[in-house]
Amino acid sequence: MDWEDARMFLTVAREGQLLGAAKRLGVNQATLSRRLTHLERDLQATLMLRGPQGCALTEEGQSLMARLERAETAMQEGEALFRGREAKLSGTVRIGAPDGFGVQFLAPRLGILARRHPELRVELVPVPRAFSLSQREADVAILVGRPERGRAVAAKLTDYTLGLYASHRYLAAAGTPATREALRGHRLVGNVEDLVSAPGLDYVTEFFGETRPTIAISTAFGQLEAVRGGAGIGVLHDFVVGGDPALARVLPELTVTRSYWLAYHESQRAIHRVQAVVEFIRSGVAAAGGWLRSP
Amino acid sequence: MDWEDARMFLTVAREGQLLGAAKRLGVNQATLSRRLTHLERDLQATLMLRGPQGCALTEEGQSLMARLERAETAMQEGEALFRGREAKLSGTVRIGAPDGFGVQFLAPRLGILARRHPELRVELVPVPRAFSLSQREADVAILVGRPERGRAVAAKLTDYTLGLYASHRYLAAAGTPATREALRGHRLVGNVEDLVSAPGLDYVTEFFGETRPTIAISTAFGQLEAVRGGAGIGVLHDFVVGGDPALARVLPELTVTRSYWLAYHESQRAIHRVQAVVEFIRSGVAAAGGWLRSP
DNA sequence: CCTCCATTATGCAAATATGCATAACCGTTT
DNA sequence: AAACGGTTATGCATATTTGCATAATGGAGG
């Protein structure tokens, strides 16, 4: 028995005529006639007598109607689990992001998102690690570089640049290197190789070559604070440094460009709250313009 | 929420994979994938996580499944009202028929039908009256002449003939009329005008013209017995008379042909037990050959 | 790391359902 | 008896769903 046929039968039974029930169900009257015929054929019973005077239930139809009403109650309960949350976005969306982007870009802006969607709950995980979208470790992930495979819907957000920085105090004491080779004589701050979660995050070798950093920190802000504290020369996101007066650009011609991508599992494509967050991030990045690039 | 989508979701939830559930439901795996996507979009929720390892319910999916199982219980109860009667035809079929055909042809043969379908119950109403098929006064009606309008499926069964008969005793006493005009001097047995239920049943005037029968009886067998009892000359169905030695054909060149039609309401088209009876009658008449015609 | 297998997702053609327009129907009114 | 109005049923064109075939996927095993 086709349950959708049954649901339609129930409405006709209540309405007493095909035309009115069709309007109520949002289908054509002809469709409804056929759906009922299909149900009667399937059950091998005449459930209602139809004529220009409308539809009257047979005894068999009465019996079925009673059971369908109980089914309807359970169906409506099930549906209610999801309804009422549609108009205003509700539920939780988890964003996984590299800490540079997550903390510097997203965190300050989440208030806008919260005010726009009061019922929405946002979880931000600003740590540099891979997020499995298929296992729902995050609903939306910010990635460095394009995701290679898997059922993710991916879109490039923006390019961003990284450069070498050191504190004024450090440079005053150790001198400013004039060439890339001269970096060998300095203390370098980089990231933890083992915890590099994506090929695109391995930009330290592009700056230091085979020279391994003396100090390795796995987060961008950790690196920032270490460099700020005079620990040495480090590779920092230009947008993270911003206009910090305590820091000086070192070897400015050495710069690396990467790109942030946004991804979510394709099954989330139809989830409005996820799409709302996606759109929020995309439009936020677009509005920020060149903010993520070096001046 | 499409209830049929929901029913399919329930099966996938139990099976743990699309492919197995598709087989169980008798649909293609691709169809099932789309039905689930459609349900998830409708409810704005991810009900299950799908991958090459199969399908795992989310918490939302778990909640919905619980309600759907209750709906399913009610649906199965409703369906059970009709199931279990399909393989062997059961239920009741009412046949309305003119008494000539009903008693002389159908009644003797109903034993065959009963043995063929032990669970089937047949009601025969062999009275010469109109049966409203749309109001289920009969499931199957045998009619004289083609039904004119309405939502009946009609099929011609056979032609049959009527002739004038009298008992030998009557003719010995009153003489045998040599012409149609001579009938005026005889006692005539006909039917009750007021109860003539169809134009086709008004054959008495075709024999007697404007002469009104002295004795009017509303049933064919009533007329038969009256004629047999010497009441007069009557119009009888040739197949009802059969080879009765007590009766003599009068004015054999006067004969009238009518046809029996079988009809049922179109909503009964899909009801197997009704179709079984229809087929039984049609094939019975075909097998009887010229039985309903005068020799 | 590569291969295999059983799974899910999707493009495309075929099959089916749907809506539109209209014929047929029945009860009411004139 | 005829006309009217609101109903249901159905032919046909269009829209949608479905099945088929195959690409993509992830876990297991070698």
Side-chain angles (χ1 to χ4, degrees):
Chain A
M1 181 174 72
D2 187 299
W3 288 15
E4 193 64 2
D5 287 347
R7 185 175 73 90
M8 292 183 174
F9 162 75
L10 190 53
T11 303
V12 178
R14 287 187 177 124
E15 193 74 18
Q17 65 163 220
L18 283 174
L19 203 57
K23 284 170 179 162
R24 202 174 282 278
L25 289 165
V27 298
N28 192 271
Q29 163 265 319
T31 298
L32 204 43
S33 177
R34 296 188 186 105
R35 297 299 293 259
L36 288 180
T37 300
H38 185 255
L39 183 63
E40 287 181 328
R41 178 177 297 122
D42 189 11
L43 296 177
Q44 284 297 298
T46 300
L47 301 173
M48 48 182 51
L49 298 172
R50 313 184 222 168
Q53 76 292 348
C55 303
L57 281 175
T58 63
E59 281 187 46
E60 296 167 308
Q62 296 269 16
S63 298
L64 180 61
M65 185 184 180
R67 273 76 177 178
L68 292 182
E69 282 182 320
R70 283 164 45 212
E72 183 191 41
T73 300
M75 287 296 199
Q76 284 174 335
E77 269 187 45
E79 201 165 352
L81 295 170
F82 308 94
R83 293 300 181 229
R85 308 184 313 175
E86 213 178 46
K88 41 183 180 176
L89 297 176
S90 59
T92 305
V93 176
R94 174 175 290 189
I95 310 171
D99 64 325
F101 186 87
V103 172
Q104 195 76 8
F105 184 83
L106 286 181
R109 289 169 166 76
L110 289 185
I112 304 174
L113 185 59
R115 283 191 290 279
R116 189 177 293 174
H117 301 293
E119 307 292 327
L120 187 66
R121 186 165 170 275
V122 177
E123 293 180 354
L124 175 62
V125 187
V127 296
R129 49 162 286 206
F131 294 92
S132 171
L133 296 172
S134 62
Q135 299 201 29
R136 302 291 294 280
E137 289 178 344
D139 298 308
V140 179
I142 307 300
L143 309 165
V144 176
R146 183 191 194 113
E148 285 188 28
R149 48 186 271 167
R151 292 210 182 86
V153 180
K156 181 176 172 180
L157 277 178
T158 184
D159 287 332
Y160 70 96
T161 53
L162 303 101
L164 290 168
Y165 290 84
S167 67
H168 292 291
R169 281 201 297 115
Y170 173 86
L171 294 177
T176 301
T179 67
R180 179 177 162 134
E181 287 66 37
L183 285 172
R184 279 187 187 159
H186 285 272
R187 206 163 51 244
L188 302 176
V189 180
N191 51 23
V192 183
E193 280 179 53
D194 291 75
L195 299 181
V196 167
S197 55
L201 289 169
D202 195 22
Y203 41 75
V204 165
T205 56
E206 286 189 53
F207 285 90
F208 303 151
E210 297 307 311
T211 309
R212 304 187 71 204
T214 308
I215 299 167
I217 305 174
S218 64
T219 70
F221 280 88
Q223 293 167 33
L224 172 70
E225 293 307 319
V227 169
R228 218 142 95 339
I233 298 174
V235 183
L236 303 181
H237 305 64
D238 289 325
F239 70 86
V240 168
V241 174
D244 192 332
L247 296 175
R249 185 68 183 271
V250 174
L251 293 171
E253 72 279 11
L254 285 183
T255 186
V256 151
T257 300
R258 287 290 185 273
S259 29
Y260 283 126
W261 284 65
L262 177 150
Y264 54 91
H265 196 271
E266 67 187 351
S267 67
Q268 309 275 33
R269 201 195 297 261
I271 311 303
H272 288 175
R273 64 180 180 275
V274 170
Q275 291 306 309
V277 169
V278 163
E279 190 49 38
F280 171 77
I281 295 172
R282 292 172 76 166
S283 61
V285 168
W291 182 85
L292 288 140
R293 300 165 177 276
S294 61
Chain B
M1 178 175 72
D2 187 298
W3 288 15
E4 193 63 1
D5 287 348
R7 185 175 73 90
M8 294 184 174
F9 163 75
L10 190 53
T11 304
V12 179
R14 289 190 176 121
E15 193 75 17
Q17 64 162 222
L18 285 174
L19 203 58
K23 283 170 180 165
R24 201 174 283 276
L25 289 165
V27 298
N28 192 270
Q29 163 266 318
T31 297
L32 204 44
S33 178
R34 295 189 185 103
R35 297 299 293 258
L36 288 179
T37 300
H38 184 253
L39 183 63
E40 287 181 327
R41 179 178 298 121
D42 189 10
L43 295 177
Q44 285 296 297
T46 300
L47 302 174
M48 49 182 50
L49 299 173
R50 315 183 222 166
Q53 76 290 350
C55 302
L57 281 176
T58 62
E59 282 188 45
E60 295 168 306
Q62 297 268 14
S63 298
L64 180 61
M65 185 183 180
R67 274 76 178 178
L68 292 183
E69 283 182 320
R70 283 165 43 215
E72 182 191 44
T73 299
M75 287 295 200
Q76 284 174 335
E77 271 186 43
E79 202 164 352
L81 297 170
F82 307 96
R83 292 304 181 223
R85 309 186 314 175
E86 216 178 43
K88 40 184 180 178
L89 296 177
S90 59
T92 304
V93 176
R94 173 175 291 188
I95 310 171
D99 63 324
F101 186 88
V103 172
Q104 195 76 6
F105 184 83
L106 286 180
R109 289 169 168 75
L110 288 184
I112 304 174
L113 184 60
R115 284 190 290 279
R116 188 178 294 175
H117 302 292
E119 305 294 327
L120 187 65
R121 184 166 172 274
V122 177
E123 294 179 354
L124 177 60
V125 185
V127 296
R129 50 162 286 205
F131 294 92
S132 171
L133 296 171
S134 63
Q135 300 200 28
R136 303 290 295 279
E137 290 178 343
D139 297 307
V140 179
I142 307 299
L143 308 165
V144 175
R146 183 189 194 116
E148 284 187 29
R149 47 187 275 164
R151 291 210 181 87
V153 180
K156 181 178 172 179
L157 277 178
T158 184
D159 287 335
Y160 69 96
T161 53
L162 304 101
L164 289 170
Y165 290 84
S167 66
H168 289 292
R169 283 203 293 116
Y170 173 86
L171 292 177
T176 299
T179 66
R180 179 175 161 134
E181 287 68 39
L183 285 173
R184 280 187 185 157
H186 284 270
R187 209 165 47 243
L188 303 175
V189 181
N191 49 23
V192 181
E193 278 178 53
D194 292 75
L195 298 179
V196 167
S197 56
L201 289 170
D202 194 21
Y203 41 75
V204 165
T205 57
E206 284 190 52
F207 285 90
F208 302 151
E210 298 306 310
T211 309
R212 304 188 70 204
T214 309
I215 299 168
I217 305 174
S218 66
T219 69
F221 278 90
Q223 293 168 32
L224 172 68
E225 293 306 321
V227 169
R228 226 194 282 108
I233 298 173
V235 184
L236 303 181
H237 305 65
D238 289 325
F239 70 86
V240 168
V241 174
D244 192 331
L247 296 174
R249 186 67 185 268
V250 172
L251 293 168
E253 70 279 11
L254 288 181
T255 185
V256 152
T257 301
R258 288 289 185 271
S259 29
Y260 283 126
W261 283 66
L262 178 150
Y264 53 92
H265 196 270
E266 66 186 354
S267 67
Q268 308 274 38
R269 204 196 295 261
I271 311 303
H272 288 174
R273 65 182 182 273
V274 170
Q275 291 307 308
V277 169
V278 163
E279 190 50 37
F280 171 77
I281 295 172
R282 291 172 77 167
S283 62
V285 167
W291 182 86
L292 287 140
R293 301 166 175 275
S294 62

